[in-house]
Amino acid sequence: MKNNEFDVLENADNSILIELSEKYQPVSGNDIERLYERSEQIYHEKSAENEAESVSGVEKYRRPIWRKIGTFAAVIALVGGICAGGILIFRNTPSASLPVSEEVSETALARAIAPFGDIHDGRIRFLTPAYAPYLLDISAEDTDELAGLFNFWLGEEADSDAPYPDGEQIIAYIENDGSHFRLVFYSDNTMDCEKDGNTVRYKVTDEIAETVYRLAHPTEQNIMEHLIPCRFEDINADGVWKNNEPVPENIFEATEIPDELKNCEIIDYEPLYEYAYDFENIQENAAHAANIIIGRVDSISYESRCGVAYTQVNITVTGDALHKVQTGENVCIETVGGYVSQHEKTAEVNRMSGSSFVGDDTYYHEITKSGEVPIIGREYAFFVDGGQDAAKYGIVGLEYGMLYKCDNLYIQRNSQGFNYYDLDELKSMLTPNE
């Protein structure tokens, strides 16, 4: 048996090639080398199987099998050779010049690309019940792995009228070459491809189904670093790409004792304040606010007046809702809470009560709500009042009026967790008095 000689096109079935050509989809030049390597791998694997099954002195008749596999694999190799300026079938066989039409070459490539296109250079975000409404942003390497499986899958359509199975659905949102679409995977190894307003149901291989499940359910400890927040209203093929920044582990941090107070005694104290409305309700905060100022935090400082502690957040303005503040302007935004000396607090009490007692150098750390402050270097949106002067504003809503800017989303933390908003939504809440 001549193992190193193989007439690729001798037994090609023209009807098969014509049928394949009708399903042709173009492939980029970047994939030629990868397709060539894959075809070579298929050839060697089948050659090894053939040798193992042959009986000494007898050549088994395997023409139908080689006819199917050989035509597909070799034509792919030929396309790679043509693009390179010559024809080389396999590295372990003599070179040959075979007449292959352009139609045949394109047909072969059509068998090695997914029905929705090659997504090697695209991006994928998964959505599962385990972390919704967050989206899992997978790496370029994981995207390549799945794209490779899709490209050597025949894309067999499933019965569109068959009932959908019970069990978890895994949604993959795809961004590729300027287009957005989604794939929905079901427990019966079927997949809906929803693209350009059309939905086609396909059967997928076990390998594709298992890989999708593995990539969508990572076991790594730092999964939060790859979870992208998304508003429920934006969970669609286009909306899931509005935000590209994961939520950090902390969006606020504990206060640090000022350097000048580090040698003093600090007493944590939670003053009892009565509020006119529920500060956790962002709609209420918006109703009492004159503007929303957005800025990057430069520093945190503390001040006290009449025995009341204030925390001052000093920012560089990056924008505002009503265009009343200049970008690049430095302003101070303050809220109650912080550090105040016992001496000052006692003196105020004495003034009001007529007592003569004066405190020592002990300081109170007045904690309101969580007592945490914005993180220096990060960007936030602040609901603010009309401003005490040109460069100082009061925060409306304490910490619930300070929203962390996460790319194009704004996060409000409250006792129930996180709420997500976009800037247009926040602006629409404002009803300032002109």
Side-chain angles (χ1 to χ4, degrees), residues 234-262:
D234 291 328
I235 298 180
N236 54 64
D238 296 320
V240 297
W241 302 103
K242 286 184 178 180
N243 195 43
N244 295 286
E245 181 183 327
V247 179
E249 184 176 356
N250 297 303
I251 64 173
F252 294 96
E253 64 183 1
T255 58
E256 290 189 4
I257 299 175
D259 290 340
E260 62 272 20
L261 303 183
K262 287 185 176 177

Side-chain angles (χ1 to χ4, degrees), residues 2-3 14 29 32 76 84 112 179-180 205 246 290 338 344 354 363 365 383:
K2 298 180 179 179
N3 292 324
N14 288 333
I32 295 302
I76 291 177
S179 68
H180 296 155
T205 64
E344 181 180 350
Y363 278 76
H365 175 209
F383 284 94

Side-chain angles (χ1 to χ4, degrees), residues 69-280:
I69 297 173
T71 302
F72 170 50
V75 172
I76 291 177
L78 285 171
V79 174
I82 290 170
C83 293
I87 299 179
L88 177 62
I89 302 179
F90 299 113
R91 295 176 184 174
N92 295 328
T93 62
S95 61
S97 179
L98 298 176
V100 182
S101 70
E102 182 179 352
E103 180 183 30
V104 171
S105 301
E106 292 178 348
T107 298
L109 285 173
R111 292 295 295 268
I113 195 164
F116 43 77
D118 186 356
I119 59 172
H120 271 91
D121 295 327
R123 294 195 296 166
I124 299 176
R125 287 180 176 172
F126 284 113
L127 179 69
T128 74
Y131 40 77
Y134 290 90
L135 299 149
L136 179 65
D137 203 35
I138 68 172
S139 67
E141 292 77 13
D142 289 341
T143 299
D144 281 346
E145 178 184 1
L146 193 53
L149 295 177
F150 278 138
N151 280 1
F152 284 94
W153 154 67
L154 300 182
E156 181 181 358
E157 291 191 19
D159 181 3
S160 59
D161 295 327
Y164 286 101
D166 295 330
E168 180 186 12
Q169 298 177 11
I170 299 175
I171 301 176
Y173 291 97
I174 315 292
E175 181 184 56
N176 187 55
D177 196 24
S179 68
H180 296 155
F181 61 97
R182 76 173 196 163
L183 308 175
V184 184
F185 297 88
Y186 302 96
S187 59
D188 62 350
N189 281 23
T190 62
M191 173 194 79
D192 279 343
C193 175
E194 301 174 2
K195 185 177 182 182
D196 299 329
N198 299 314
T199 300
V200 180
R201 193 173 181 184
Y202 293 98
K203 296 178 182 178
V204 299
T205 64
D206 288 342
E207 187 175 8
I208 288 177
E210 291 167 1
T211 301
V212 166
Y213 187 88
R214 171 172 54 82
L215 295 179
H217 299 83
T219 57
E220 57 187 285
Q221 302 256 330
N222 61 339
I223 184 175
M224 283 300 296
E225 296 179 8
H226 308 286
L227 290 180
I228 306 297
C230 184
R231 300 188 312 153
F232 280 106
E233 300 90 328
D234 291 328
I235 298 180
N236 54 64
D238 296 320
V240 297
W241 302 103
K242 286 184 178 180
N243 195 43
N244 295 286
E245 181 183 327
V247 179
E249 184 176 356
N250 297 303
I251 64 173
F252 294 96
E253 64 183 1
T255 58
E256 290 189 4
I257 299 175
D259 290 340
E260 62 272 20
L261 303 183
K262 287 185 176 177
N263 294 323
C264 299
E265 181 183 1
I266 305 295
I267 299 174
D268 286 340
Y269 169 65
E270 296 185 20
L272 297 177
Y273 291 115
E274 293 186 2
Y275 304 109
Y277 64 91
D278 179 10
F279 283 168
E280 292 194 39

Side-chain angles (χ1 to χ4, degrees), residues 318-329:
T318 58
D320 77 314
L322 302 179
H323 307 292
K324 293 183 176 180
V325 187
Q326 294 295 319
T327 299
E329 187 177 344

Side-chain angles (χ1 to χ4, degrees), residues 289-304:
N291 197 0
I292 299 173
I293 297 178
I294 305 162
R296 191 170 304 279
V297 177
D298 298 321
S299 63
I300 303 291
S301 57
Y302 302 97
E303 185 179 279
S304 59

